[in-house]
Amino acid sequence: MDLINLLAGDKSALLTSGFVDDFDYLSLAETGSAGRWNTLDADSGASVAHDADGLDGRVLLTTGATDNNEAYLYSNEVGQFLNGKPMLMVVRLQYAEAATDDANVIFGLVETVGTNTLQDDGDGPPADYDGAVLFKADGDTRWSFETSQGTSQTTTETNKTAGGTSFQTLAIQVDPISASEMLVTPWI
C-alpha cells in the first residue's frame, strides 16, 4: 500500500490485498485451519507432500497412479466474489499422466473443497458450486474452463493441451462489473 498517496486522500490503495506463496516455508504440519493451506487426500495411495528441500517452491500431489484417487492442496478462504474486489490467481504446475488421458486436474476458485471436488470418471467439477476453474478431466487431453453460480455452469473446452513434461502457467482473472456480474478470464 502506498502510504503517501493514502494519506493524501487516495483510497484506491485500499482495494488491493493479496499474497504470493512459493511454498518455500511450508511444512505440512503448518497446514490445517490455523495455517494458510489445507490438504485432502482421498482413496488409498493418495498423498500431499512438500518438496523436502524447499528450494523450488513445489508441492507434490500423488494419487498412487490409481484411477479416481484424489489429492488436493487448497487455501483457507482468501477472497470472495464481491463488487469492487477484482482477483487474480496464478499457478505454475506440471503433471504426468499415469495413463494416456486418465488424470483429473483442477485449479481455481470453488466455495468448498472435499472428496470429488473434481468428480470421478471424467464428470468434471461439481454440479452445484460457486466458482471459476480451469480443469482437465479423465478422458480429455485439453484444458477446459468453467464458471458456475449454483447449478448454472458455462463450460468451454480450450485448444490448449494439458499435462506433459513441461510446466504450464494457469491464471484466472475476475473483474467485477456490478454487484451481480463478473467478467472472468482464463489464461493458459
Side-chain angles (χ1 to χ4, degrees):
M1 181 180 307
D2 184 344
L3 184 57
I4 294 171
N5 287 335
L6 181 61
L7 293 174
D10 179 6
K11 304 295 187 230
S12 65
L14 293 175
L15 296 177
T16 304
S17 76
F19 69 90
V20 174
D21 192 333
D22 292 321
F23 306 118
D24 54 353
Y25 68 92
L26 178 74
S27 75
L28 292 182
E30 296 169 345
T31 62
S33 61
R36 174 170 288 154
W37 298 103
N38 293 302
T39 63
L40 183 141
D41 47 52
D43 310 305
S44 62
S47 66
V48 181
H50 182 247
D51 183 21
D53 64 16
L55 293 176
D56 295 324
R58 294 182 185 175
V59 175
L60 178 63
L61 305 170
T62 304
T63 63
T66 302
D67 197 25
N68 295 323
N69 273 7
E70 302 171 69
Y72 300 99
L73 176 71
Y74 62 99
S75 71
N76 288 317
E77 187 173 21
V78 295
Q80 292 182 336
F81 293 114
L82 297 171
N83 192 26
K85 302 289 184 180
M87 290 187 277
L88 175 65
M89 289 96 15
V90 181
V91 68
R92 185 172 176 254
L93 60 78
Q94 184 273 329
Y95 71 92
E97 298 272 4
T100 305
D101 59 4
D102 286 356
N104 280 309
V105 180
I106 189 169
F107 160 74
L109 295 165
V110 295
E111 62 187 317
T112 304
V113 175
T115 301
N116 291 326
T117 295
L118 197 51
Q119 300 178 77
D120 291 347
D121 300 320
D123 285 342
D128 185 354
Y129 75 102
D130 291 337
V133 297
L134 283 159
F135 69 97
K136 187 271 205 223
D138 182 359
D140 292 332
T141 58
R142 293 182 286 189
W143 291 110
S144 291
F145 176 63
E146 182 172 281
T147 58
S148 179
Q149 186 173 15
T151 58
S152 177
Q153 283 90 27
T154 301
T155 307
T156 304
E157 185 177 69
T158 74
N159 63 357
K160 302 290 186 177
T161 301
T165 58
S166 299
F167 280 88
Q168 290 182 295
T169 301
L170 309 178
I172 298 175
Q173 180 177 340
V174 179
D175 293 302
I177 296 170
S178 70
S180 61
E181 293 180 292
M182 306 273 169
L183 175 62
V184 184
T185 308
W187 302 92
I188 302 171

